[in-house]
Amino acid sequence: MKSNQSNIKKAIKYLNKNYCIGVPSETVYGLAANAYVDSAIKKIFDLKKRPKNNPLIVHYLGIDSIKRDCFINENFMKLYKKFSPGPITYILKLKKNSKISKNVTNNKKSLAVRFPKHKIFKELLKQLDYPLAAPSANITTKLSAVQVTDVKEEFGNKIKYILDGGKCAVGIESTIINLIGKPTILRLGGLDISKIQKTLGLKIDINISPRNKIAPGQSRLHYSPGIPLKMNMINPKNEEAFILINKRKTKLKNYFYLSKKNDLNEAAKNLYSCLRKVKNKGFKSIAVEKIPNKGLGKAINDRLQRASKY
Ligand code: TXA
Ligand code: MG
């Protein structure tokens, strides 16, 4: 954790001037700006080359600070108590008199809120009197960033400042749940949905289709390493990068491990950095071993599936 108080002060200086900065979260790095200021939010969309109709998640320190911007309900309270701060994003009804920039929500009547767990992100929010809108710190459709060097690779010197919080502990984006009406999962992510189900005590709907208009960010092509990727591979070609989740005896140079012991949490943590490494080494295609479709494996497979649409 290289970010001390003086770095946080510097970050605040840039945010107060309505610049975007890179921030570490437990899921992935975010590209953050003041959620109340139109011009600051416009910069996020420009930098990411993000379509304007794709709304942003707003990050808060705790429940008290969201009450001026959105309505809370019983299901929210159950999940908030159990899982926040952490890798879950709630879609709630936006208040009419909220100060959230229309650019954040694309004039929608809902708001995506998240309470990040990373120490540095929390410290930053504690010292600010506005919440931070922050999408993942990558160019739209590309791989998300899980360490400072990834953010630099995406944006170069186009952003003024990045707070360094080390490598993200979870490694994939938050799980998104719509809590307006019947609870519905809109994105698989860092919180296993079986835990959410258990806490709410009901079977929740899942709508993660790329045609789903509620969360337009779930497009078919997403999380792309920029080269073809195939899943469920047993024997890839020699020249392909082979991504594995279990240790193999052979020591070929093109083997890359998400985990050596079938650990799905470890695999999620390593997913984006592994794909980025393979791409940067100049491989022309990627084969991935079958990943068990349980726990975080579901979210990993979701990301791989979208990445494979290249
Ligand atoms: O882990 C994360 O959630 C990271 C970190 C930085 O917090 N952020 C992140 O943001 O993944 P982004 O912008 O890459 O993905 C946000 C997703 C998009 O698919 C967007 O469509 C959806 O959230 N979203 C945002 N506001 C929404 C709303 N009001 N209703 C439905 N979906 C919404
Ligand atoms: Mg993203």
Side-chain angles (χ1 to χ4, degrees), residues 26-57:
E26 74 282 19
T27 57
V28 298
Y29 273 72
L31 183 64
N34 184 342
Y36 291 156
V37 176
D38 293 345
S39 63
I41 300 305
K42 186 174 180 303
K43 286 182 192 140
I44 293 182
F45 280 86
D46 290 346
L47 279 164
K48 271 186 71 83
K49 303 190 175 87
R50 183 177 177 110
K52 299 216 167 15
N53 67 356
N54 190 6
L56 305 178
I57 298 174

Short mmCIF file of all heavy atoms in Angstrom, two decimals, residues 26-57:
data_model
loop_
_atom_site.label_atom_id
_atom_site.label_comp_id
_atom_site.label_asym_id
_atom_site.label_seq_id
_atom_site.Cartn_x
_atom_site.Cartn_y
_atom_site.Cartn_z
N GLU A 26 -11.29 -3.10 -4.07
CA GLU A 26 -11.02 -4.52 -3.86
C GLU A 26 -11.36 -5.35 -5.10
O GLU A 26 -10.87 -6.46 -5.25
CB GLU A 26 -11.77 -5.03 -2.62
CG GLU A 26 -13.27 -5.22 -2.79
CD GLU A 26 -14.05 -3.91 -2.71
OE1 GLU A 26 -13.46 -2.83 -2.88
OE2 GLU A 26 -15.27 -3.98 -2.49
N THR A 27 -12.21 -4.80 -6.00
CA THR A 27 -12.58 -5.57 -7.21
C THR A 27 -11.60 -5.29 -8.34
O THR A 27 -10.78 -6.15 -8.67
CB THR A 27 -14.02 -5.21 -7.63
OG1 THR A 27 -14.10 -3.79 -7.85
CG2 THR A 27 -15.03 -5.64 -6.60
N VAL A 28 -11.71 -4.10 -8.93
CA VAL A 28 -10.78 -3.67 -9.99
C VAL A 28 -10.49 -2.19 -9.75
O VAL A 28 -11.16 -1.55 -8.94
CB VAL A 28 -11.40 -3.87 -11.41
CG1 VAL A 28 -11.69 -5.34 -11.70
CG2 VAL A 28 -12.68 -3.04 -11.59
N TYR A 29 -9.49 -1.63 -10.45
CA TYR A 29 -9.24 -0.18 -10.33
C TYR A 29 -10.39 0.58 -10.98
O TYR A 29 -10.97 0.12 -11.97
CB TYR A 29 -7.91 0.20 -10.98
CG TYR A 29 -6.75 0.06 -10.01
CD1 TYR A 29 -6.30 -1.20 -9.63
CD2 TYR A 29 -6.13 1.18 -9.45
CE1 TYR A 29 -5.27 -1.33 -8.70
CE2 TYR A 29 -5.09 1.05 -8.53
CZ TYR A 29 -4.67 -0.21 -8.16
OH TYR A 29 -3.66 -0.34 -7.25
N GLY A 30 -10.70 1.75 -10.41
CA GLY A 30 -11.75 2.59 -10.97
C GLY A 30 -11.16 3.88 -11.53
O GLY A 30 -10.06 4.29 -11.16
N LEU A 31 -11.92 4.49 -12.45
CA LEU A 31 -11.56 5.82 -12.97
C LEU A 31 -12.57 6.78 -12.35
O LEU A 31 -13.72 6.83 -12.77
CB LEU A 31 -11.66 5.80 -14.50
CG LEU A 31 -11.24 7.07 -15.23
CD1 LEU A 31 -9.76 7.35 -15.00
CD2 LEU A 31 -11.51 6.94 -16.73
N ALA A 32 -12.12 7.50 -11.31
CA ALA A 32 -13.07 8.21 -10.44
C ALA A 32 -13.14 9.71 -10.71
O ALA A 32 -12.15 10.34 -11.08
CB ALA A 32 -12.67 7.98 -8.99
N ALA A 33 -14.36 10.26 -10.50
CA ALA A 33 -14.56 11.71 -10.56
C ALA A 33 -15.77 12.07 -9.71
O ALA A 33 -16.57 11.19 -9.34
CB ALA A 33 -14.77 12.15 -12.00
N ASN A 34 -15.90 13.37 -9.40
CA ASN A 34 -16.99 13.87 -8.57
C ASN A 34 -18.35 13.59 -9.23
O ASN A 34 -18.64 14.11 -10.31
CB ASN A 34 -16.79 15.38 -8.38
CG ASN A 34 -17.82 16.00 -7.44
OD1 ASN A 34 -18.86 15.41 -7.18
ND2 ASN A 34 -17.50 17.18 -6.93
N ALA A 35 -19.17 12.78 -8.56
CA ALA A 35 -20.44 12.34 -9.15
C ALA A 35 -21.47 13.46 -9.25
O ALA A 35 -22.50 13.30 -9.89
CB ALA A 35 -21.02 11.20 -8.31
N TYR A 36 -21.18 14.63 -8.61
CA TYR A 36 -22.13 15.74 -8.64
C TYR A 36 -21.85 16.74 -9.77
O TYR A 36 -22.62 17.67 -9.98
CB TYR A 36 -22.11 16.49 -7.30
CG TYR A 36 -22.69 15.70 -6.13
CD1 TYR A 36 -22.30 16.00 -4.81
CD2 TYR A 36 -23.64 14.71 -6.32
CE1 TYR A 36 -22.84 15.31 -3.74
CE2 TYR A 36 -24.18 14.00 -5.25
CZ TYR A 36 -23.78 14.31 -3.96
OH TYR A 36 -24.32 13.63 -2.90
N VAL A 37 -20.72 16.57 -10.47
CA VAL A 37 -20.31 17.61 -11.43
C VAL A 37 -20.33 17.08 -12.87
O VAL A 37 -19.58 16.17 -13.24
CB VAL A 37 -18.88 18.13 -11.08
CG1 VAL A 37 -18.38 19.12 -12.12
CG2 VAL A 37 -18.87 18.75 -9.70
N ASP A 38 -21.20 17.69 -13.70
CA ASP A 38 -21.37 17.24 -15.08
C ASP A 38 -20.04 17.16 -15.86
O ASP A 38 -19.77 16.18 -16.54
CB ASP A 38 -22.30 18.20 -15.86
CG ASP A 38 -23.72 18.15 -15.34
OD1 ASP A 38 -24.05 17.20 -14.60
OD2 ASP A 38 -24.50 19.07 -15.67
N SER A 39 -19.24 18.22 -15.75
CA SER A 39 -18.02 18.28 -16.58
C SER A 39 -17.01 17.20 -16.16
O SER A 39 -16.30 16.65 -17.00
CB SER A 39 -17.39 19.67 -16.50
OG SER A 39 -16.98 19.91 -15.17
N ALA A 40 -16.97 16.91 -14.87
CA ALA A 40 -16.04 15.87 -14.38
C ALA A 40 -16.47 14.51 -14.93
O ALA A 40 -15.64 13.70 -15.37
CB ALA A 40 -16.04 15.84 -12.86
N ILE A 41 -17.77 14.25 -14.93
CA ILE A 41 -18.30 12.96 -15.40
C ILE A 41 -18.10 12.82 -16.92
O ILE A 41 -17.79 11.75 -17.42
CB ILE A 41 -19.79 12.81 -15.02
CG1 ILE A 41 -19.95 12.88 -13.50
CG2 ILE A 41 -20.36 11.50 -15.56
CD1 ILE A 41 -19.10 11.89 -12.72
N LYS A 42 -18.25 13.93 -17.62
CA LYS A 42 -18.05 13.88 -19.08
C LYS A 42 -16.63 13.40 -19.41
O LYS A 42 -16.40 12.65 -20.35
CB LYS A 42 -18.31 15.27 -19.68
CG LYS A 42 -18.25 15.25 -21.19
CD LYS A 42 -18.64 16.57 -21.81
CE LYS A 42 -18.56 16.51 -23.33
NZ LYS A 42 -17.23 16.13 -23.84
N LYS A 43 -15.68 13.81 -18.57
CA LYS A 43 -14.28 13.40 -18.80
C LYS A 43 -14.13 11.87 -18.71
O LYS A 43 -13.36 11.27 -19.45
CB LYS A 43 -13.34 14.08 -17.79
CG LYS A 43 -13.12 15.54 -18.10
CD LYS A 43 -12.16 16.18 -17.11
CE LYS A 43 -12.20 17.69 -17.27
NZ LYS A 43 -12.14 18.41 -16.00
N ILE A 44 -14.85 11.26 -17.76
CA ILE A 44 -14.78 9.79 -17.63
C ILE A 44 -15.24 9.14 -18.93
O ILE A 44 -14.57 8.25 -19.47
CB ILE A 44 -15.68 9.28 -16.47
CG1 ILE A 44 -15.17 9.73 -15.11
CG2 ILE A 44 -15.81 7.76 -16.53
CD1 ILE A 44 -15.99 9.23 -13.92
N PHE A 45 -16.38 9.60 -19.46
CA PHE A 45 -16.93 9.00 -20.68
C PHE A 45 -15.96 9.20 -21.86
O PHE A 45 -15.76 8.28 -22.66
CB PHE A 45 -18.30 9.60 -20.99
CG PHE A 45 -19.41 8.99 -20.17
CD1 PHE A 45 -19.71 9.46 -18.90
CD2 PHE A 45 -20.13 7.90 -20.66
CE1 PHE A 45 -20.72 8.88 -18.14
CE2 PHE A 45 -21.14 7.32 -19.90
CZ PHE A 45 -21.43 7.81 -18.63
N ASP A 46 -15.36 10.38 -21.95
CA ASP A 46 -14.43 10.66 -23.05
C ASP A 46 -13.20 9.76 -22.95
O ASP A 46 -12.78 9.14 -23.92
CB ASP A 46 -13.99 12.13 -23.04
CG ASP A 46 -15.15 13.03 -23.45
OD1 ASP A 46 -16.15 12.50 -23.97
OD2 ASP A 46 -15.06 14.26 -23.23
N LEU A 47 -12.62 9.69 -21.75
CA LEU A 47 -11.40 8.89 -21.57
C LEU A 47 -11.63 7.42 -21.86
O LEU A 47 -10.79 6.75 -22.47
CB LEU A 47 -10.89 9.03 -20.13
CG LEU A 47 -10.09 10.28 -19.80
CD1 LEU A 47 -10.02 10.48 -18.29
CD2 LEU A 47 -8.68 10.17 -20.38
N LYS A 48 -12.77 6.91 -21.43
CA LYS A 48 -13.06 5.48 -21.62
C LYS A 48 -13.62 5.15 -22.99
O LYS A 48 -13.80 3.99 -23.33
CB LYS A 48 -14.10 5.02 -20.56
CG LYS A 48 -13.48 4.54 -19.27
CD LYS A 48 -14.55 3.98 -18.35
CE LYS A 48 -15.16 2.66 -18.77
NZ LYS A 48 -14.43 1.45 -18.40
N LYS A 49 -13.97 6.21 -23.76
CA LYS A 49 -14.68 6.05 -25.04
C LYS A 49 -15.97 5.25 -24.78
O LYS A 49 -16.30 4.29 -25.50
CB LYS A 49 -13.82 5.33 -26.07
CG LYS A 49 -12.48 6.01 -26.35
CD LYS A 49 -11.81 5.36 -27.56
CE LYS A 49 -10.55 6.07 -27.97
NZ LYS A 49 -9.35 5.61 -27.26
N ARG A 50 -16.66 5.64 -23.74
CA ARG A 50 -17.84 4.90 -23.29
C ARG A 50 -19.12 5.50 -23.87
O ARG A 50 -19.28 6.73 -23.82
CB ARG A 50 -17.89 4.95 -21.76
CG ARG A 50 -19.03 4.18 -21.09
CD ARG A 50 -18.84 4.30 -19.60
NE ARG A 50 -19.84 3.69 -18.79
CZ ARG A 50 -19.64 2.60 -18.03
NH1 ARG A 50 -18.48 1.98 -18.06
NH2 ARG A 50 -20.59 2.14 -17.25
N PRO A 51 -20.02 4.67 -24.39
CA PRO A 51 -21.29 5.21 -24.89
C PRO A 51 -22.05 5.93 -23.77
O PRO A 51 -22.07 5.45 -22.64
CB PRO A 51 -22.06 3.96 -25.34
CG PRO A 51 -21.05 2.88 -25.45
CD PRO A 51 -19.94 3.22 -24.53
N LYS A 52 -22.65 7.07 -24.10
CA LYS A 52 -23.29 7.91 -23.08
C LYS A 52 -24.48 7.23 -22.40
O LYS A 52 -24.87 7.60 -21.30
CB LYS A 52 -23.76 9.23 -23.70
CG LYS A 52 -22.60 10.01 -24.28
CD LYS A 52 -22.75 11.49 -24.11
CE LYS A 52 -21.46 12.24 -24.40
NZ LYS A 52 -20.40 11.51 -25.10
N ASN A 53 -25.05 6.23 -23.07
CA ASN A 53 -26.23 5.58 -22.50
C ASN A 53 -25.87 4.49 -21.48
O ASN A 53 -26.73 3.79 -21.00
CB ASN A 53 -27.11 4.98 -23.59
CG ASN A 53 -26.43 3.82 -24.31
OD1 ASN A 53 -25.27 3.52 -24.04
ND2 ASN A 53 -27.13 3.18 -25.22
N ASN A 54 -24.60 4.35 -21.17
CA ASN A 54 -24.18 3.34 -20.20
C ASN A 54 -23.85 3.98 -18.86
O ASN A 54 -22.77 4.53 -18.68
CB ASN A 54 -22.97 2.57 -20.76
CG ASN A 54 -22.65 1.34 -19.93
OD1 ASN A 54 -23.39 1.00 -19.00
ND2 ASN A 54 -21.55 0.70 -20.24
N PRO A 55 -24.78 3.92 -17.89
CA PRO A 55 -24.61 4.66 -16.64
C PRO A 55 -23.46 4.14 -15.77
O PRO A 55 -22.98 3.03 -15.95
CB PRO A 55 -25.96 4.45 -15.94
CG PRO A 55 -26.50 3.18 -16.51
CD PRO A 55 -26.00 3.10 -17.91
N LEU A 56 -23.08 4.98 -14.81
CA LEU A 56 -21.92 4.68 -13.95
C LEU A 56 -22.35 4.27 -12.55
O LEU A 56 -23.43 4.64 -12.09
CB LEU A 56 -21.03 5.91 -13.83
CG LEU A 56 -20.52 6.56 -15.10
CD1 LEU A 56 -19.68 7.80 -14.75
CD2 LEU A 56 -19.69 5.58 -15.92
N ILE A 57 -21.47 3.54 -11.87
CA ILE A 57 -21.68 3.21 -10.46
C ILE A 57 -21.15 4.35 -9.60
O ILE A 57 -20.07 4.89 -9.89
CB ILE A 57 -20.94 1.89 -10.10
CG1 ILE A 57 -21.49 0.72 -10.91
CG2 ILE A 57 -21.04 1.62 -8.60
CD1 ILE A 57 -20.73 -0.59 -10.73
#
